[in-house]
Amino acid sequence: MDNTDLGVLCALILAIAIYLKREQIKEFISSNDDDIMASNSDSRDVVQVLRENNKNYLVLFASQTGTAEDYAKKFAKELASKFSLKVMCGDIEQYDFENINELPDNVFVTLFISTYGEGDFPDGAVQFEDFISNASEGSLDTLKFSLFGLGNSTYEFYNGAARKALDYLKAAGATLVGDFGQGDDGAGTTDEDYMTWKGNTFETLKDKLHLDEHEQKFEPSFVLKKLESIDDNVAVGEPSLHYLPCNKLTYNSEKVQVGPFDLSQPFIAPVVKTYELFKNTDRNCIHTEFDVSGSNIKYSTGDHLAVWPSNATEKVDQFLKVFNLDPGMIFDLKPLDSTIKVPFPTPTTVGAAVRQYLEISGPISRQIFGQLVQFAPNQDIKQKLIDLSTDRDQFAIEITAKYFDLADALLRLSEGKPWSTVPLEFLVETIPHLQPRYYSISSSSLSEKQTIHITSVVENFPNPSSDVEGNVTGVTTNLLRNIQLAQNKQETKDSMPVHYNLNGPRDLLAGFKLPVHVRRSTFRLPSNPATPVIMVGPGTGVAPFRGFVRERVKFLEKQENIKLGKHILFYGSRNQDDFLYQDEWPEYSKKLDGAFEMIVAHSRLPNAKKVYVQDKLLEREDEVFDMINNGAFIYICGDAKGMAQGVHTSLVDILTRKKAIAKEDAAEIIKMLKTTGRYQEDVW
Ligand SMILES: Cc1cc2nc3c(=O)[nH]c(=O)nc-3n(C[C@H](O)[C@H](O)[C@H](O)COP(=O)(O)OP(=O)(O)OC[C@H]3O[C@@H](n4cnc5c(N)ncnc54)[C@H](O)[C@@H]3O)c2cc1C
Ligand SMILES: NC(=O)c1ccc[n+]([C@@H]2O[C@H](COP(=O)([O-])OP(=O)(O)OC[C@H]3O[C@@H](n4cnc5c(N)ncnc54)[C@H](OP(=O)(O)O)[C@@H]3O)[C@@H](O)[C@H]2O)c1
Ligand SMILES: Cc1cc2nc3c(=O)[nH]c(=O)nc-3n(C[C@H](O)[C@H](O)[C@H](O)COP(=O)(O)O)c2cc1C
Ligand SMILES: *[C@@H]1O[C@H](CO)[C@@H](O)[C@H](O)[C@H]1NC(C)=O
Ligand SMILES: *[C@@H]1O[C@H](CO)[C@@H](O)[C@H](O)[C@H]1NC(C)=O
Ligand SMILES: *[C@@H]1O[C@H](CO)[C@@H](O)[C@H](O)[C@H]1NC(C)=O
Ligand SMILES: CC(=O)N[C@H]1CO[C@H](CO)[C@@H](O)[C@@H]1O
């Protein structure tokens, strides 16, 4: 046998080996008659699915960005491991509830509901809302439920969705078990609110369901299986299974990729233009333009763009080190029953899961410390964990105030020792799935039909705690800045606090691309161009208003003899250096021929007092009042906490004074404007 023959033979053996392995992998993926898999029906009937899977407790969540989902899963997990209940946990969107009143008497339901928009249910819960709001009196009289709402008290309709759910369910005769819990993001107490509510709820459940409590022990919901080699079925970080080499994307006759593009599948959009918007400051704000012409994505001015990030290499490496993980390990996850969903594309590699699928940076909860006690590397560390997980004040000082993420905190506690005994299953199940971030679109669909602009301020600041080195960094905004620097051929090595793999898995993102999808909003200009418009958007809050103004400019270019109503924009920045799109506004003014005016408040000019947008509103109160009287639409965008409230207060003041009415009545008028869509907020 000469060398060529040997080569051919080797190749043949390799090919057969891969082929056989493939079959094994395929078999593993597709076998669903295994004993560990419960019934796999696609039914939407929640009672049927519960029965088929032999469960005796139901946890449901209605979540927009995953917080409620995260709490629901933790709750379900803890119920199962402390009380040996058979808990089914699912997204409210997946089920119909017509016969929920037929649940067995000893099966209770716990709901986690977050609030969006203005006291609204999350997108996925619309059907559920329809159902409970129409349920007739007494029709849910056997249903026993507990309820935890997630909201933010800076919003007017605090926990609006959960409160509505409570009222509807009670009106239909259902019984609330324990207290109604409300988590408040605004006060930053969601975690503590949850812990308190959970403690009480567990006590009530123990009593009502006669449960025995035992020590919490982690029991995986998945069987984890190692695989030998990467083939076309293995995700190496693709944002959804559609982008695996083994799958085909859908195109229409115009060779345009067809969606739907949403949380289950993004479009891989080329980043066609990026630039820095700030000058001479140590902060950064990035303008990014995405080309969506290769897709059937349509957006409307005022919508949001979801950007799917990946984790920074520094964070990935540190995480792998803390848990002593091998990034090259290939694994598959198989749910123990059909009610459990695998949280990300699998089979995959540990490196891909850590980089693309898990939210490894960001604040951590006291709860996870409690769950980690069982895996502490030694007795000392175990004691420290127990102390911190049971003392909220100490946790706030030692962990939260120092902006530690999970890896930082654990390394600090163990003084650099790895936590090698934490099972991968635990990490995959406990750490939330990396979520896309939303940005207010700053272009207009009328002037930029197939290009979407966003305006994002980069989260990168020195750790406020003096004994921690380094900057606190946001995942997505630093990724956008990394792209901006690389695309414009600028140095990234020293100027970036963190770095990214910009090429993505299997070079999917090479040449500057990012996974995105559009989320519809209700933030819309009035359809009649003659209607006056008041816009208030300091900082990045100006983003959608750039879109609005460009929309009006384009509109005027297309139509003749149209009289635009007055459009007035209150903008605020620290000084001239962070004045966003400073050179564009005069141009828009000129083109809109007097119909557009911009009023600017600067808060940090040398030797001057702080001026905010709400101060400028007061200065212009006659004009603002006249515009409101003439049917103006009012828009507020940006910071939810201080700004939106400050602006609201100013407007109430103006109405109070100019109409000579009581403050309460003025607030009532604003409320009415809100309900009729004449007062719209896009705040975060
Ligand atoms: C409807 C909507 C519209 C939006 N529009 C815009 C817009 O137009 N422009 C814009 O710039 N933003 C906008 N945002 C905000 C945006 O979605 C992101 O939240 C923001 O850009 C930060 O994302 P990130 O991934 O960079 O930061 P993340 O990684 O999500 O971090 C969030 C924050 O946590 C801090 N942090 C990081 N690690 C820790 C830790 N261990 N402990 C405590 N804190 C930590 C970060 O510094 C940062 O401040 C909008 C949000 C919503 C909901
Ligand atoms: N939680 C907060 O207090 C707060 C405040 C602003 C922004 N943010 C968040 O920080 C991120 C970055 O924001 P950004 O860079 O776009 O904004 P920014 O540049 O920090 O702020 C823009 C302008 O708004 C001013 N401002 C601050 N507080 C205000 C208030 N209560 N009412 C009216 N104006 C106010 C700022 O003034 P000064 O900074 O000089 O006071 C500045 O002039 C956003 O995610 C935003 O939600 C949070
Ligand atoms: C655009 C937006 C609108 C919101 N509107 C409200 C609201 O009207 N009332 C409220 O209590 N919370 C509101 N919130 C806060 C969320 O309900 C809260 O952050 C919650 O923890 C999110 O949970 P989720 O990740 O499960 O969707 C809003 C948040 C955002 C981003
Ligand atoms: C149920 O109520 C909602 C309002 O919450 C309404 O929009 C919907 O049409 C109603 N559906 C039915 C089937 O009555
Ligand atoms: C809720 O409140 C916090 C203040 O703690 C604020 O920073 C944030 O922007 C608000 N909104 C959300 C969605 O968290
Ligand atoms: C850390 O943040 C400060 C303040 O924003 C900034 O000046 C500095 O450049 C940042 N460091 C890095 C490495 O980005
Ligand atoms: C664990 C992981 O994802 N590692 C990748 C980090 O990014 C570099 C490129 O920047 C890849 O080569 C690694 O495989």
Side-chain angles (χ1 to χ4, degrees), residues 282-283 460-462 471 481 494-497:
D282 55 9
R283 294 198 305 156
N460 175 21
F461 53 86
N471 281 13
R481 175 156 178 251
D494 297 325
S495 46
M496 287 292 304

Side-chain angles (χ1 to χ4, degrees), residues 244-261:
L244 289 190
C246 63
N247 290 327
K248 286 222 155 35
L249 298 170
T250 325
Y251 291 90
N252 68 12
S253 54
E254 275 112 55
K255 300 229 162 53
V256 152
Q257 193 184 337
V258 182
F261 300 103

Side-chain angles (χ1 to χ4, degrees), residues 320 325-331 348-355 358 424:
L320 293 171
L325 297 169
D326 166 15
M329 182 184 135
I330 310 158
F331 68 97
T348 188
T349 68
V350 169
V354 174
R355 179 177 293 275
L358 299 179
L424 184 57

